Amino acid sequence: MSRRTKRPARQGSTRPTPSAFCPCGRPDSYVTCCGRFHGGEGAAPTAEALMRSRYAAFVKRDEAYLLRTWHPRTRPAHVEFDPRMRWTGLEILATAEGSAFHSTGTVTFRASYAGGSLQERSRFERVDGAWVYVDGDFPE
């Protein structure tokens, strides 16, 4: 058995590799960004943070999180994932309300996937103090 020596870290480089970034597009690791919400270690503090975490949940195919963060009035029985779908990026286009001081909010976003993109204006509400996704429409 050969013994491998660990290479010293490159000097001056503390940025994580792109693959370590959260799928939601923030320059944080998945664990410290959306992963903590997915794992139940906290709740998204804004409608935009919930939108980002839900996008990451679609990327990770985390049905339990998606259902938990869906308004009871509009929640489906289960989430269908297309096994061929490869999400490639999220762009927040606009937000309205949705802060810690609001009870409703909207987030307009573009989610890219291999072969195209979709744009949605999502509506969010607070239920028992937590942000949940209500529904959305697809602007022309």
Side-chain angles (χ1 to χ4, degrees), residues 5-25:
T5 58
K6 191 173 179 181
R7 283 186 158 174
R10 254 182 22 186
Q11 295 294 323
S13 177
T14 58
R15 261 187 89 162
T17 62
S19 62
F21 292 153
C22 188
C24 81

Side-chain angles (χ1 to χ4, degrees), residues 57-69:
F58 272 102
V59 171
K60 300 280 188 180
R61 297 183 184 175
D62 186 343
E63 180 183 32
Y65 181 77
L66 291 166
L67 293 174
R68 189 170 70 243
T69 58

Side-chain angles (χ1 to χ4, degrees), residues 7 23 39 92 105 108 115 140:
R7 283 186 158 174
I92 303 299
T108 304
E140 304 272 328

Side-chain angles (χ1 to χ4, degrees), residues 44-48 95-107 124-132:
T46 65
E48 179 182 340
T95 61
E97 298 185 330
S99 78
F101 304 104
H102 298 108
S103 59
T104 63
T106 61
V107 179
F124 298 89
E125 290 180 12
R126 283 189 186 270
V127 172
D128 297 327
W131 285 107
V132 292

Side-chain angles (χ1 to χ4, degrees), residues 4-87:
R4 296 183 123 171
T5 58
K6 191 173 179 181
R7 283 186 158 174
R10 254 182 22 186
Q11 295 294 323
S13 177
T14 58
R15 261 187 89 162
T17 62
S19 62
F21 292 153
C22 188
C24 81
R26 297 263 185 208
D28 300 316
S29 73
Y30 168 72
V31 172
T32 61
C33 192
C34 294
R36 63 192 166 111
F37 302 140
H38 295 173
E41 300 161 19
T46 65
E48 179 182 340
L50 182 64
M51 171 55 240
R52 288 179 175 281
S53 69
R54 286 178 54 84
Y55 170 82
F58 272 102
V59 171
K60 300 280 188 180
R61 297 183 184 175
D62 186 343
E63 180 183 32
Y65 181 77
L66 291 166
L67 293 174
R68 189 170 70 243
T69 58
W70 214 307
H71 197 291
R73 183 176 74 236
T74 58
R75 180 186 310 138
H78 57 86
V79 178
E80 293 284 332
F81 295 103
D82 181 345
R84 298 166 303 197
M85 180 65 78
R86 297 291 176 257
W87 296 105

